[in-house]
Amino acid sequence: MMNCKWYNVCPMKRYFEQGKLDEKWILNYCKGDWGKCIRYKMEEAGEYHPDNMLPDGSINKDL
Ligand code: SF4
């Protein structure tokens, strides 16, 4: 399966590489079912979303 087209510029990639984000997010969304990602949907719709919003739409204040 292809990666999400936003992966290279997505803050989730950066957080994962920095060791701040569990790999499950990458596997379940970015390299899995990215169509269900809230970040993806909002990006497509041109809607603002903060960098620390996770793929399920929840906010991680530690990011
Ligand atoms: S978090 Fe969402 S928008 Fe970002 S790369 Fe992963 S699937 Fe794509």
Side-chain angles (χ1 to χ4, degrees):
M1 194 186 286
M2 281 173 52
N3 289 354
C4 172
K5 68 178 182 180
W6 301 113
Y7 187 59
N8 284 329
V9 295
C10 187
M12 295 304 119
K13 175 178 186 281
R14 193 170 78 233
Y15 294 142
F16 171 59
E17 290 173 350
Q18 291 170 347
K20 296 175 180 171
L21 190 74
D22 194 291
E23 189 177 21
K24 71 174 185 184
W25 295 105
I26 304 300
L27 297 177
N28 287 339
Y29 290 89
C30 317
K31 298 184 178 181
D33 191 1
W34 39 262
K36 71 182 180 186
C37 175
I38 306 296
R39 298 191 59 88
Y40 179 91
K41 291 177 185 173
M42 293 184 79
E43 195 68 42
E44 291 292 294
E47 294 171 4
Y48 170 77
H49 48 287
D51 277 4
N52 63 353
M53 193 187 82
L54 296 171
D56 68 355
S58 65
I59 300 291
N60 183 338
K61 291 201 166 72
D62 295 328
L63 295 175

